């Protein structure tokens, strides 16, 4: 335990070093006095005895330093001295310190802000018991969803896991009619909470007995989240046993989840969880429990001790053939059945949970990470230039320290300490900026209907990232100035007129090289911003095939309270009533609205057409009412619209879009031709439709898509109408006024209808969230990069003018025109700028391939964008160089020579 006592003594010395110094001085004095007394006792004269005692004892200062080294940590004391000196130096130069710290805070903070989101979306482990033991089942890169029959097969036959769970997401309406108020819901298996190791805060969690088809013996039960408990029940301690209304059905609350558990989707928290077995209670039309083609559940397993995910995958792959045979959908085509039977279930690590936004915005986040990384490099180059200028100004101080015996390594360490102190201060302020910036970015990536709920609390990984970036940047911008400052000859620096010598020899080449790098990186960022802004402009201006302005969408849901046979007539009654409201120009109904994340695709079989591939006849479908195209601001190119007579008893009719007409009928008139479609739920049987019209091509899934094949069927000919529909109301007033009039109008028909309102224009805008965020942020950081490059060039040019002040004064005194002096300075600026632009163009071309997936309507090597970026950057930097050049031309020759 000797080392422990040694450690304790050193720590005590660290905090009591002043007292230890006094004790040591007193002890040394006593030793000298004792030796002096001993010599005096032998008859040695007093003065000689004293001198001999001091000589025999040794050098007081050296012995005191040796004692301090033995008692404490010399390197730590030395570091403390460096820090104190660095702080005094920065306080003596507040302008430089504030500029450097703010630049670093912005650069480090931006990097930390985006890394915070990446960490929350993709890196942070779930707050559950031993998350590293969790794996998710998948059938491929996009095959993480399963049917309930597959889940039951896995649950009942797997032997690879100590426990398995399944869950799916849902929205539950909390109201009993009128405008909806939704709760974020989860369908969960009975073992869901047990497998995750989540204990209840109140009550109990689900068991297997709660998760049976139609509900368990306790009836419909629910577990609510801590947040939902606080918001909707005010934290009532007696909440257990109370009921919550979900889609007009009562569920007994049996438990409250702890506040730290928000679900397995890291970007969305849940409000209410109910057992999967209760699904038929809410979906009385058709339950998903026995449906073999409804992919709505995700499956996780907890590995048994000592089992790896690879071993679990091997066991699941061995089980896959039996699972596939037992759950094969009967209505699949022969090709579809063959593909289904070849599927293999594998296991992948799932410690970080799930994140739809992380998958959707992955490319955008990494692109932004690269952008802010370049901004930080530009900021580092700027600070390096500032430090080079400061080192030149401090050459006498540094040379004096070297001349009186300070080692070069010691001076370099002092200068690096100052650099690291700057980066540490920048990191500290950067963390504050990152907290604000990450919140703003999350808002930018959220839609009106889906607010991202990421946990942005900094953890050790974020703090380590910030510390690492701060250390790297401190070294990056500090090393070159430190070595440059200590590389000069002390004799030359101490000469009275050394400044002119240094200026003439070095010409500040390192500073100019840094400016060249700044200009190059700034051009890359500015060109990228131009490409992303062009993409945004093209997406906004892209022809949609319909007019989204002044269209109110109303999602009307009967929640299966209206019998299926009466729904077509009921929906028509609602539509007729809405059309009579003041301010309504036209109204229609449909199953799907454009760019809504809802799709329906199926194969078409046109008469006389031979498919060229298995996907050649795949088309997107929609069911719409008469006057849908007028309400959407679209039009028919030929034929007629659906009519009120196109009902179940009438011949089946269809409207196809222009692209479908061109592919299937090759310029022939498609009106009157027939197209067959697979009958839902009847394998091998088809329904035949007559084409009565051709519509203008329109966007279906997203604005980026090229023209797709589309087929429209009449709402009134739906043999199995669903429980909901969407109204498209084109109006000439305020959307809020139309919504206010629509609510009572529908309530008079049936007060139990659930209503949700949204503007079609908002829906389109929400689809461009990623592009808008990338365009705005890249433009901001591009402008910041230009500003930093401009400041850097201005600083270097000003410093060069200062170093050449005597030379320029002589030129002016000898009669040189002032314009020639301006050009003399601008010539260097122009060369620096040209080199930077040339390097930037080369880097921009090389990096352009990395952002192809984010672009629309512009080429990654678009010369117009690149030249415009070069023009903007060149103009800004030339102005920055002209200002000190103009100031140089106005020098007083005599004043300049006297100063020299």
């Amino acid at each position: 335990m000797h080392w422990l006592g040694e450690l304790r003594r050193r720590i005590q010395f660290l905090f009591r070093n002043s007292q230890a110094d006094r004790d040591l001085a007193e002890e040394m004095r006593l030793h000298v006095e004792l030796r002096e007394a001993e010599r005096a006792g032998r008859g040695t004269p007093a003065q000689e005895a004293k001198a001999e005692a001091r000589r025999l004892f040794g050098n007081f200062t050296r012995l005191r330093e040796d004692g301090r080294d033995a008692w404490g940590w010399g390197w730590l004391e030395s570091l403390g001295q460096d820090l104190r000196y660095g702080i005094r130096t920065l306080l003596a130069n507040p302008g430089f310190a504030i500029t450097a710290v703010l630049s670093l805070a912005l650069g480090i903070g931006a990097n930390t802000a985006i890394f915070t989101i990446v960490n929350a979306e993709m890196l942070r482990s779930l707050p559950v018991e031993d998350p590293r033991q969790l794996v998710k089942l998948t059938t491929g890169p996009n095959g993480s969803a399963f049917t309930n029959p597959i889940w039951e097969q896995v649950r009942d036959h797997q032997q690879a896991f100590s426990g398995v769970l399944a869950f799916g997401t849902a929205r539950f309406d909390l109201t009993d009619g009128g405008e909806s108020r939704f709760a974020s819901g989860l369908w969960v298996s009975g073992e869901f909470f047990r497998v995750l190791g989540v204990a209840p805060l109140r009550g109990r969690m689900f068991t297997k007995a709660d998760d049976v088809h139609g509900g368990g013996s306790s009836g419909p039960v629910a577990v609510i989240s801590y947040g939902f408990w606080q918001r909707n029940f005010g934290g009532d301690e007696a909440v257990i046993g109370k009921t919550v209304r979900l889609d007009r059905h009562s569920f007994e609350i049996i438990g409250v989840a702890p506040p730290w558990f928000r679900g397995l989707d890291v970007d969305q928290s849940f409000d209410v969880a109910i057992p999967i077995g209760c699904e038929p209670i809410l979906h009385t039309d058709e339950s998903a429990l026995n449906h073999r083609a409804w992919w709505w559940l995700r499956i996780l397993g907890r590995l048994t001790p000592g089992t790896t995910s690879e071993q679990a995958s091997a066991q699941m792959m061995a089980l896959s053939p039996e699972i596939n045979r037992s759950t094969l959908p009967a209505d699949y085509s022969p090709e579809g059945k063959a593909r289904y039977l070849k599927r293999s279930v594998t296991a992948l690590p799932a410690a970080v949970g799930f994140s739809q936004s992380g998958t959707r915005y992955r490319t955008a986040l990494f692109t932004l990470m690269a952008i802010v990384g370049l901004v930080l490099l530009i900021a580092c180059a700027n600070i390096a230039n500032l430090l080079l200028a400061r080192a030149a100004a401090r050459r006498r101080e540094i040379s004096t320290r070297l001349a009186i015996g300070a080692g070069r390594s010691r001076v370099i360490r002092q200068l690096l300490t100052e650099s690291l102190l700057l980066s540490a201060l920048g990191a500290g302020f950067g963390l504050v900026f990152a907290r604000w910036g990450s919140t703003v970015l999350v808002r930018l990536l959220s839609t009106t209907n889906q607010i991202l709920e990421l946990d942005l609390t900094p953890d050790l990984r974020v703090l380590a990232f910030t510390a690492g970036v701060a250390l790297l940047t401190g070294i990056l911008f500090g090393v070159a100035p430190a070595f440059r400052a200590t590389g000069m000859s002390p004799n030359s620096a101490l000469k009275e007129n050394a400044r002119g010598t240094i200026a003439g020899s070095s010409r500040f080449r390192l500073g100019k090289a840094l400016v060249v790098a700044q200009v190059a990186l700034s051009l890359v960022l500015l060109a990228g911003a131009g490409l992303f802004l062009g993409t945004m402009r093209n997406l906004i201006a892209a022809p949609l095939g319909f007019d989204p302005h002044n269209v109110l969408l109303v999602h009307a849901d009967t929640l299966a309270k209206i019998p299926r046979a009466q729904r077509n007539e009921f929906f028509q009654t609602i539509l007729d009533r809405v059309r009579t409201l003041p301010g309504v120009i036209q109204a229609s109904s449909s199953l799907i609205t454009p760019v809504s994340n809802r799709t329906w695709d199926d194969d078409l079989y046109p008469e006389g057409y031979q498919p060229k591939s298995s996907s050649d006849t795949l088309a997107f479908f929609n069911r719409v009412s008469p006057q849908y195209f007028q309400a959407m601001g679209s039009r028919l190119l030929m034929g007629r619209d659906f009519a009120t007579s196109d009902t179940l008893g009438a011949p089946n009719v269809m409207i196809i879009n222009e692209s479908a007409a061109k592919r299937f009928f090759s310029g022939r008139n498609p009106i009157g031709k027939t197209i067959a479609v697979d009958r839902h739920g009847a394998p091998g049987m088809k329904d035949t439709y007559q084409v009565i019209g051709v519509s203008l091509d329109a966007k279906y899934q997203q604005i980026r898509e090229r023209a797709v094949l589309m087929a429209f069927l009449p709402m009134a000919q739906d043999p199995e109408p669903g429980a909901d529909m969407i109204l498209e109301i084109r109006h000439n007033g305020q959307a809020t006024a139309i919504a206010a009039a629509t609510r009572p109008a529908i309530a008079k028909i049936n007060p139990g209808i659930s209503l949700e309102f949204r503007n079609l224009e908002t829906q389109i805008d929400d689809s461009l969230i990623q592009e808008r965020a990338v365009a705005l942020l890249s433009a901001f950081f591009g402008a910041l990069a230009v500003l930093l490059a401009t400041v850097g060039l201005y600083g270097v040019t000003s410093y060069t003018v200062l170093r050449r002040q005597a030379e320029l004064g002589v030129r002016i005194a000898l009669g040189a025109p002032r314009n020639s002096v301006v050009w003399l300075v601008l010539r260097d600026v122009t060369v620096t700028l040209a080199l930077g632009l040339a390097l930037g163009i080369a880097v921009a071309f090389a990096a352009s391939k990395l952002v192809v997936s984010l672009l629309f309507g512009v080429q990654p090597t678009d010369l117009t964008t690149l030249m415009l970026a070069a023009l903007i950057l060149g103009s800004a930097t030339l102005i920055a160089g002209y200002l000190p050049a103009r100031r140089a031309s106005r020098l007083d020759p005599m004043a300049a020579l006297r100063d020299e």
Side-chain angles (χ1 to χ4, degrees):
M1 299 297 288
H2 172 72
W3 65 270
L4 190 59
E6 180 77 11
L7 178 64
R8 185 184 299 111
R9 191 183 77 244
R10 288 180 182 269
I11 293 175
Q12 288 175 348
F13 178 79
L14 183 64
F15 293 100
R16 299 174 56 190
N17 54 3
S18 297
Q19 181 63 41
D21 278 343
R22 288 193 295 270
D23 293 343
L24 180 60
E26 178 66 16
E27 186 175 349
M28 292 169 65
R29 185 183 64 79
L30 289 174
H31 275 286
V32 172
E33 288 180 354
L34 288 174
R35 292 192 179 191
E36 182 182 347
E38 181 183 355
R39 298 305 186 271
R42 295 176 183 174
T44 306
Q47 288 296 110
E48 292 183 14
K50 184 175 182 179
E52 186 177 353
R54 289 183 63 88
R55 185 178 68 255
L56 292 173
F57 187 81
N59 188 300
F60 270 67
T61 303
R62 178 63 179 271
L63 290 172
R64 181 177 296 182
E65 291 296 326
D66 290 343
R68 291 177 65 89
D69 289 340
W71 288 357
W73 287 292
W75 63 268
L76 192 58
E77 287 190 68
S78 178
L79 177 61
Q81 293 173 358
D82 288 346
L83 286 175
R84 289 191 293 272
Y85 183 77
I87 292 172
R88 289 197 300 270
T89 303
L90 295 181
L91 291 176
N93 298 272
F96 162 76
I98 292 173
T99 302
V101 170
L102 287 180
S103 299
L104 286 171
L106 192 59
I108 296 175
N111 279 270
T112 302
I114 296 179
F115 180 78
T116 299
I117 295 177
V118 172
N119 179 55
E121 296 260 29
M122 308 172 193
L123 303 177
R124 178 178 287 164
S125 296
L126 291 168
V128 298
E129 179 184 337
D130 200 1
R132 294 184 180 180
Q133 293 297 309
L134 292 177
V135 294
K136 62 182 178 182
L137 301 190
T138 179
T139 57
N142 299 312
S144 60
F146 295 91
T147 66
N148 187 65
I150 293 177
W151 152 242
E152 292 182 351
Q153 286 290 316
V154 172
R155 178 194 64 193
D156 297 339
H157 297 95
Q158 70 82 25
Q159 297 179 346
F161 310 108
S162 60
V164 288
L165 64 88
F167 77 101
T169 57
R171 281 197 320 172
F172 301 132
D173 191 355
L174 300 175
T175 65
D176 284 325
E179 189 165 359
S180 299
R181 184 166 60 91
F182 292 106
S184 176
L186 288 179
W187 302 103
V188 301
S189 59
E191 296 271 271
F192 179 83
F193 293 103
R194 186 196 67 79
V195 173
L196 294 176
V198 178
L201 182 69
R202 294 284 187 278
R204 68 175 180 88
M205 297 306 198
F206 298 133
T207 64
K208 289 183 178 180
D210 297 310
D211 183 24
V212 297
H213 287 214
S217 57
S218 301
V221 292
V223 170
I224 61 175
S225 70
Y226 178 85
F228 187 80
W229 176 45
Q230 295 294 320
R231 291 192 307 270
N232 291 62
F233 294 92
D236 184 6
E237 298 288 342
V239 70
I240 305 302
K242 293 188 175 182
T243 61
V244 58
R245 296 279 288 174
L246 307 176
D247 291 353
R248 315 295 194 274
H249 295 273
S250 295
F251 285 76
E252 180 187 352
I253 298 173
I254 63 170
V256 177
W260 49 264
F261 182 72
R262 303 167 63 245
L264 298 180
D265 288 294
V266 297
D267 51 6
Q268 293 292 317
S269 61
F270 84 100
D271 292 320
V272 183
I274 62 176
I276 292 172
C278 292
E279 188 269 345
I281 298 175
L282 302 186
H283 301 156
T284 56
D285 278 357
E286 187 175 8
S287 172
L289 293 188
N290 296 318
H291 206 293
R292 297 186 173 189
W294 284 10
W295 307 86
W296 60 296
L297 295 176
R298 285 173 282 185
I299 303 175
L300 276 74
R302 180 173 290 280
L303 297 172
T304 56
T307 304
T308 65
S309 58
E310 291 78 13
Q311 292 171 329
S313 286
Q315 294 183 33
M316 291 308 304
M317 290 176 69
L319 192 60
S320 294
E322 179 58 31
I323 294 176
N324 293 338
R325 284 191 296 269
S326 302
T327 60
L328 179 66
D331 56 351
Y332 273 21
S333 65
E335 296 81 5
K337 289 181 178 179
R339 288 194 299 269
Y340 186 92
L341 292 172
K342 292 180 181 179
R343 292 159 37 109
S344 293
V345 179
T346 58
L348 296 175
V352 298
F354 299 86
S355 173
Q356 290 185 354
S357 60
T359 302
R360 179 182 178 185
Y361 301 134
R362 185 182 185 90
T363 302
L365 287 172
F366 285 126
T367 300
L368 291 174
M369 198 79 178
I371 289 173
V372 296
L374 292 180
V375 170
L376 183 57
L377 285 178
I378 295 172
C380 287
N382 243 9
I383 298 171
N385 268 330
L386 290 173
L387 289 175
L388 284 171
R390 286 186 73 240
R394 297 171 63 185
R395 68 193 183 282
R396 290 182 180 275
E397 170 208 336
I398 294 172
S399 297
T400 301
R401 296 176 66 181
L402 293 172
I404 63 176
R408 186 185 183 192
S409 61
R410 182 67 181 83
V411 178
I412 289 175
R413 192 181 75 182
Q414 170 63 50
L415 296 176
L416 282 179
T417 301
E418 295 177 18
S419 300
L420 292 173
L421 182 61
L422 279 175
S423 63
L425 291 172
F429 287 106
L431 281 173
V432 178
F433 173 79
R435 183 66 176 174
W436 171 81
S438 59
T439 303
V440 170
L441 184 54
V442 165
R443 290 176 183 171
L444 282 176
L445 296 176
S446 298
T447 65
T448 52
N449 279 2
Q450 187 177 19
I451 306 298
L452 297 185
E453 301 178 47
L454 294 171
D455 182 6
L456 300 178
T457 306
D459 58 10
L460 289 177
R461 189 181 288 109
V462 172
L463 295 177
F465 173 84
T466 306
V469 170
L471 178 63
L472 181 62
T473 54
I475 294 174
L476 193 63
F477 67 72
V479 166
F483 276 87
R484 179 68 178 273
T486 57
M488 68 182 71
S489 168
N491 289 333
S492 61
L494 291 173
K495 289 179 181 179
E496 183 67 26
N497 292 324
R499 184 173 62 187
T501 305
I502 298 172
S505 61
S506 78
R507 308 281 289 182
F508 208 45
R509 293 188 185 92
L510 181 57
K512 292 179 180 179
L514 290 172
V515 172
V516 169
Q518 280 183 289
V519 171
L521 294 177
S522 299
L523 180 63
V524 172
L525 291 180
L526 203 58
L531 294 176
F532 295 134
L533 288 171
T535 291
M536 191 65 200
R537 181 192 64 242
N538 293 338
L539 288 170
I540 293 174
L544 302 175
F546 57 88
D547 181 9
H549 304 291
N550 294 330
V551 176
L552 178 67
L553 304 179
V554 184
H555 181 214
D557 196 343
T558 68
L559 297 172
K561 299 299 183 182
I562 305 296
R564 193 187 289 272
Q566 300 176 19
R567 289 176 190 167
N568 283 334
E569 182 180 353
F570 178 77
F571 289 149
Q572 186 62 46
T573 302
I574 291 179
L575 182 57
D576 292 339
R577 179 69 184 91
V578 169
R579 284 172 174 167
T580 65
L581 296 176
V584 174
I585 299 174
Q586 188 54 269
S588 64
S589 63
S590 66
L591 288 183
I592 298 170
T593 54
V595 196
S596 63
N597 291 325
R598 296 180 64 184
T599 60
W600 166 21
D601 57 58
D602 211 335
D603 285 307
L604 296 174
Y605 304 95
E607 60 172 312
Y609 182 78
Q610 295 298 322
K612 299 178 179 62
S613 65
S614 58
S615 61
D616 187 43
T617 58
L618 188 67
F620 291 105
F621 281 72
N622 198 359
R623 282 196 181 272
V624 302
S625 71
Q627 301 175 11
Y628 168 82
F629 299 99
Q630 295 92 318
M632 290 295 293
S634 186
R635 70 179 191 274
L636 292 176
L637 301 179
M638 63 175 65
R640 70 171 179 88
D641 197 355
F642 296 128
T644 55
S645 58
D646 295 321
T647 59
L648 281 174
N652 291 333
V653 292
M654 174 188 291
I655 295 175
I656 59 176
N657 70 343
E658 187 178 6
S659 293
K662 288 179 180 178
R663 176 174 298 184
F664 297 141
F665 300 103
S666 303
R668 293 176 292 134
N669 189 347
I671 305 301
K673 299 295 191 293
T674 60
I675 296 178
V677 180
D678 290 321
R679 182 178 296 177
H680 177 68
M685 299 189 66
K686 294 179 174 58
D687 292 318
T688 301
Y689 294 80
Q690 184 183 51
V691 178
I692 62 170
V694 177
S695 69
L696 184 70
D697 282 346
K699 302 297 181 182
Y700 187 84
Q701 293 185 89
Q702 56 181 337
I703 299 178
R704 286 177 173 271
E705 70 188 10
R706 297 181 179 179
V708 297
L709 308 184
M710 290 184 63
F712 299 90
L713 307 179
M715 287 280 288
Q717 286 190 345
D718 189 353
E720 296 181 349
D724 65 329
M725 71 164 182
I726 300 174
L727 295 170
E728 298 88 17
I729 304 176
R730 181 166 293 277
H731 56 85
N732 57 8
Q734 294 292 326
T736 52
I738 300 300
T742 302
R743 293 188 196 97
I746 295 179
K748 287 182 180 179
I749 300 172
N750 188 318
I753 299 299
S754 174
L755 301 176
E756 183 182 6
F757 296 90
R758 193 181 195 197
N759 289 318
L760 178 58
E761 193 172 7
T762 302
Q763 183 166 291
I764 301 300
D765 287 344
D766 282 348
S767 71
L768 301 177
I769 287 292
Q770 173 176 278
E771 290 80 2
R772 184 178 295 107
V774 173
L776 289 176
L777 292 175
S778 64
F780 170 76
F781 288 116
L784 178 63
V786 172
L787 177 63
L788 290 173
T790 302
V791 171
L793 185 62
Y794 176 83
V796 169
T797 307
S798 296
Y799 177 78
T800 303
V801 167
L802 179 64
R803 307 306 296 166
R804 299 176 64 185
Q805 185 170 276
E807 172 200 343
L808 297 175
V810 170
R811 288 176 179 271
I812 295 173
L814 293 176
R818 297 190 182 272
N819 288 341
S820 67
V821 174
V822 172
W823 170 242
L824 183 66
V825 176
L826 281 181
R827 184 176 60 191
D828 286 347
V829 173
T830 304
V831 171
T832 302
L833 178 60
L835 290 173
L837 292 178
L839 180 60
I841 290 172
V843 174
F845 271 105
S848 60
K849 297 179 181 179
L850 302 176
V851 297
V852 172
S853 62
L854 295 174
L855 303 181
F856 177 80
V858 292
Q859 293 298 320
T861 55
D862 183 61
L863 289 178
T864 302
T865 301
L866 197 56
M867 291 301 104
L868 182 60
L871 178 62
I872 293 173
L873 181 60
S875 301
T877 49
L878 280 176
I879 292 173
Y882 173 75
L883 294 177
R886 184 169 175 268
R887 188 168 62 248
S889 70
R890 298 184 176 183
L891 281 174
D892 180 355
M894 296 306 298
L897 292 173
R898 277 197 304 269
D899 181 66
E900 187 62 25

